[in-house]
Amino acid sequence: MRKYKKPIAAVLVVFLSLFVLAPARPVEANPAIVITAGVGLGVLSTMIAAGACFTNTDDATKAVNNYWNSSSTDMKSKWEVIASSLAIVAGSTAYNVTDELWNDMRSYAKEKYNSGANAVNVVEEAPSEYMVDSTQYQAVDVGSDCFSVQGQNIAKPGSPGYYYRGIFKNGVAVCTETNTSATALQYDYSVVRVDMVLRARVVTHGTQNVIDYRVLANLATVPVTARLAPVSYSYNATGAPWVDETTEEADWDTIDELLYDWYYDAVSGEWQKQARISTGGPNPDDPDPPGKGRLIQIGPTLLSDISNMDAEKLRLGKGKVTEKDPTKPYEPAADPSPVTPPSMGTTTEKTPQPSTRTTTTVEEAPKEGGGSTRTTTQVAETTTPVKNEDGTTTTTKTTTTTITKQDYDPQGNPEGSPTIETKPGPTSSTTENPTSEKTELTTGLIDILTDTEVNPADGKRYPTKLDFGPLLIAGAKLTWKFPFSLPWDLARAFSPFANAGEWQPKFDVVVPDTAILKGFSWTADLTMFNGLASVARKFELLIFSVGLIMATRKLMGGDV
Amino acid sequence: MTHLLNQLFVAIGGVLGVLLNLLPQSPFQYVLTVDSNTINAIAWIMPLREVVALLQAYVVAVALYYGLRIALRWLKVAGG
């Protein structure tokens, strides 16, 4: 055993080194951790929160992969730890992106991406050319008192303010927050291309409320860009030209809020069947940020496995929602009264109201000697929803048929008294669960995004997959607790070198004023030496390789 | 069953979390504050990433070699 002491010790040393170096291993060395859907979603969302907004899915995917490839294994493991939280978000435990990850991502995004070059296209001119294309998108400002959304007039709430978010043509999304006053409208535009958006064409229209998911995904980009490149215009309501314009470029150092938090807020809000999606969140007039929409938007478009697997569920919900023809134009609800959007920050609880639909049929039968007998048949169908205590809704449908017969002369004048016959029709009563249709999509989304499903027995939601998150978090915490952290501390010491990024050899040299020398500044531009530096790096690597070979010979006693 | 196991994981994670909170934080967190731009500048002329990658591959190779040699010695195939 004694003669094996040296090689065993050597192996231990080598494996310890391996262990230490592992977190610094770049992607070329066959990474141990493969990017997963949850991680990709998390990385992308955090990257967007960090200010890197992308023009299309390829850009986004490339950015995530670039970041992933340049991340240390230590960072990757941290993303893995929170992957479950990104996937579940609304699960029993809420996790958050740690400061370390956030700083890492922000630092990376700051180095690699900038708002102007990547995605955020600030409209320089007055946005009249970007006016809503009603044939392509849904929201049109049709007057001083209402918007038209998919052909449905939606009344503007009164002063002192309302919110309106429109989708504009040419793949440009514009967030508009409008404040009314007596003389002017204030528009705040934030512009970004929306190529990467999944346009979830899911339409769920209630009889009393308009819930149009078709705008959900598009609107989802709005909060992201709102903080990147706000452009403010003042518009005179009388139709005068745009009179004021301010632009502001994204400032990396001031973007410090995580959109990730919004995910949790939005989804948890939905989880509790509060406002937003379940009660009109995707409605364009909803002032709340539709955070859930970003999950829809980012996940399926970036992560092919989700899109392949669950696109159908995302689109239709999980079960019995009837697919509607996406090419079919929007059909307004039976109730012609305008729909008032929910006011900001409130949860809208709709009280079921009876509605009546009347169908009138007129038939004319010729009479002998001229004239005719006009038979008017009116079928009135009254639907009375009653909300039960158990949350279900019982809908009573009563049909009444009224037949009116009246003789007409050839000039069309009525003759005599009409004969009116009223026939009560059948009365039917159906009970439906309100969550079964309107929130079918919501339920399906929650199932997918949270890996949970509702147990029909008790109505509670239970996980369908094991959640190792708490254990992984404990393990991750261990790497930061002395003395167990020592190996990881050593490993982390290597990570800055392994993660060294590209550098632009251009910097300012400032010489301050002194008593004998007037100060000056000078920009040192060494980009001309880029080629030389590349050659130098190759030679240095060659020298290092030779040194390793010599060290190996010495390490192994010169017998190899 | 899944629900119960998840609850168990939460409980274990909670206990471990409490125990780990008793330990002091790592004193070597200075690494995170290293100015990456300076390192990037150094990496402009020094192949830092490649060096670390090479070291990684080298350590793996040497470890495999030693491991294989020990195994062969135990099997009396190789001399020592």
Side-chain angles (χ1 to χ4, degrees):
Chain A
M1 187 63 197
R2 186 172 180 175
K3 63 179 180 179
Y4 294 125
K5 190 180 289 183
K6 188 177 175 183
I8 289 174
V11 166
L12 288 176
V13 169
V14 166
F15 272 98
L16 180 60
S17 303
L18 175 67
F19 180 67
V20 167
L21 284 174
R25 179 169 57 182
V27 70
E28 292 86 347
N30 188 21
I33 302 175
V34 179
I35 186 169
T36 62
V39 169
L41 181 60
V43 170
L44 179 61
S45 58
T46 311
M47 187 172 277
I48 289 175
C53 197
F54 306 99
T55 56
N56 54 47
T57 51
D58 290 340
D59 283 354
T61 305
K62 187 177 178 183
V64 171
N65 287 331
N66 285 345
Y67 170 75
W68 192 251
N69 292 343
S70 65
S71 295
S72 68
T73 306
D74 181 53
M75 284 296 174
K76 287 173 182 170
S77 64
K78 285 183 170 55
W79 281 110
E80 289 285 354
V81 168
I82 65 162
S84 58
S85 72
L86 289 161
I88 67 170
V89 182
S92 57
T93 307
Y95 305 116
N96 211 337
V97 176
T98 62
D99 289 343
E100 186 190 0
L101 284 173
W102 169 237
N103 289 331
D104 184 60
M105 175 60 74
R106 194 164 94 166
S107 172
Y108 181 82
K110 189 175 179 179
E111 290 174 9
K112 294 289 184 184
Y113 301 96
N114 61 80
S115 60
N118 289 286
V120 179
N121 304 312
V122 178
V123 178
E124 298 293 344
E125 303 295 331
S128 56
E129 61 185 286
Y130 290 100
M131 288 310 289
V132 173
D133 182 353
S134 60
T135 61
Q136 186 174 359
Y137 297 111
Q138 294 81 30
V140 184
D141 190 345
V142 295
S144 59
D145 58 354
C146 66
F147 294 122
S148 173
V149 179
Q150 291 290 97
Q152 176 86 4
N153 285 345
I154 296 179
K156 292 177 181 175
S159 294
Y162 58 84
Y163 289 79
Y164 162 52
R165 291 177 178 134
I167 305 300
F168 286 56
K169 64 182 180 181
N170 298 329
V172 176
V174 178
C175 166
T176 307
E177 291 186 356
T178 307
N179 295 310
T180 59
S181 67
T183 58
L185 302 174
Q186 175 75 32
Y187 288 74
D188 292 310
Y189 288 88
S190 294
V191 187
V192 66
R193 292 188 62 81
V194 292
D195 305 57
M196 65 178 288
V197 168
L198 168 72
R199 291 187 173 85
R201 297 184 70 90
V202 177
V203 184
T204 304
H205 293 294
T207 56
Q208 300 296 321
N209 193 10
V210 174
I211 299 176
D212 193 336
Y213 287 94
R214 279 175 285 195
V215 296
L216 171 63
N218 291 336
L219 289 173
T221 58
V222 169
V224 177
T225 60
R227 66 183 62 187
L228 291 180
V231 184
S232 179
Y233 296 96
S234 292
Y235 179 66
N236 190 319
T238 61
W242 301 83
V243 294
D244 187 21
E245 176 181 334
T246 56
T247 60
E248 182 184 344
E249 267 295 328
D251 183 351
W252 297 106
D253 294 324
T254 59
I255 301 171
D256 55 4
E257 188 181 352
L258 286 176
L259 290 181
Y260 181 76
D261 295 336
W262 294 8
Y263 282 10
Y264 177 71
D265 289 345
V267 179
S268 62
E270 185 181 343
W271 184 272
Q272 297 162 28
K273 300 191 185 307
Q274 293 178 350
R276 303 178 182 131
I277 289 178
S278 61
T279 56
N283 189 303
D285 296 88
D286 186 353
D288 292 326
K292 185 59 170 294
R294 279 195 300 283
L295 291 176
I296 301 170
Q297 161 205 338
I298 295 169
T301 51
L302 172 70
L303 309 165
S304 58
D305 52 349
I306 291 180
S307 62
N308 292 336
M309 180 178 64
D310 293 323
E312 191 68 12
K313 292 178 184 174
L314 281 172
R315 193 161 58 87
L316 297 179
K318 226 181 181 181
K320 53 194 175 186
V321 172
T322 305
E323 183 175 10
K324 299 186 179 181
D325 183 1
T327 61
K328 193 176 179 181
Y330 169 77
E331 296 175 2
D335 186 353
S337 60
V339 177
T340 303
S343 57
M344 185 174 184
T346 61
T347 300
T348 306
E349 187 70 30
K350 297 285 183 186
T351 303
Q353 297 291 331
S355 63
T356 302
R357 188 178 69 181
T358 304
T359 307
T360 304
T361 308
V362 179
E363 296 177 1
E364 291 193 14
K367 258 180 23 174
E368 291 181 5
S372 63
T373 300
R374 170 171 290 186
T375 303
T376 304
T377 306
Q378 285 187 320
V379 180
E381 187 177 273
T382 303
T383 304
T384 308
V386 177
K387 197 166 186 179
N388 301 324
E389 291 181 355
D390 60 358
T392 60
T393 301
T394 300
T395 303
T396 304
K397 191 179 289 183
T398 305
T399 305
T400 305
T401 305
T402 304
I403 302 173
T404 306
K405 291 183 179 179
Q406 190 167 15
D407 295 336
Y408 279 74
D409 66 11
Q411 284 73 39
N413 297 320
E415 296 176 350
S417 302
T419 304
I420 301 175
E421 181 183 354
T422 302
K423 294 179 180 177
T427 300
S428 62
S429 181
T430 57
T431 300
E432 61 183 31
N433 191 323
T435 62
S436 64
E437 182 175 350
K438 194 159 68 175
T439 61
E440 194 77 28
L441 168 71
T442 303
T443 306
L445 284 172
I446 293 175
D447 289 352
I448 295 164
L449 296 171
T450 64
D451 286 333
T452 61
E453 63 184 13
V454 176
N455 183 358
D458 58 5
K460 293 181 178 177
R461 189 168 283 279
Y462 290 99
T464 56
K465 292 183 179 176
L466 289 177
D467 178 13
F468 294 99
L471 299 180
L472 292 172
I473 287 177
K477 189 180 283 186
L478 181 73
T479 67
W480 290 97
K481 292 296 184 181
F482 186 83
F484 302 106
S485 64
L486 287 176
W488 286 279
D489 288 333
L490 193 54
R492 282 189 282 262
F494 281 87
S495 60
F497 302 107
N499 297 331
E502 293 181 5
W503 179 68
Q504 289 300 320
K506 195 174 181 180
F507 51 90
D508 293 329
V509 178
V510 179
V511 178
D513 284 331
T514 61
I516 57 173
L517 182 67
K518 181 175 173 53
F520 63 93
S521 64
W522 170 58
T523 300
D525 188 355
L526 304 179
T527 53
M528 68 180 80
F529 300 116
N530 276 343
L532 191 60
S534 175
V535 174
R537 288 197 299 269
K538 287 179 171 58
F539 273 104
E540 288 161 359
L541 195 61
L542 178 65
I543 293 170
F544 180 75
S545 302
V546 172
L548 266 186
I549 293 170
M550 301 301 290
T552 305
R553 188 171 182 275
K554 190 174 181 180
L555 176 71
M556 298 185 179
D559 55 349
V560 291
Chain B
M1 187 61 183
T2 305
H3 184 54
L4 289 175
L5 284 174
N6 282 343
Q7 286 185 327
L8 182 65
F9 293 158
V10 170
I12 295 173
V15 171
L16 289 176
V18 169
L19 293 176
L20 288 172
N21 280 338
L22 298 175
L23 294 171
Q25 281 289 98
S26 166
F28 299 106
Q29 297 188 19
Y30 67 93
V31 173
L32 300 176
T33 63
V34 172
D35 182 4
S36 61
N37 200 42
T38 304
I39 294 176
N40 292 348
I42 296 172
W44 183 65
I45 198 151
M46 298 280 290
L48 295 181
R49 284 172 297 180
E50 291 81 357
V51 164
V52 175
L54 195 56
L55 270 177
Q56 168 80 47
Y58 174 80
V59 170
V60 171
V62 172
L64 286 175
Y65 168 75
Y66 272 106
L68 187 62
R69 194 169 78 167
I70 289 174
L72 291 176
R73 282 180 179 170
W74 279 341
L75 295 172
K76 307 290 185 187
V77 176

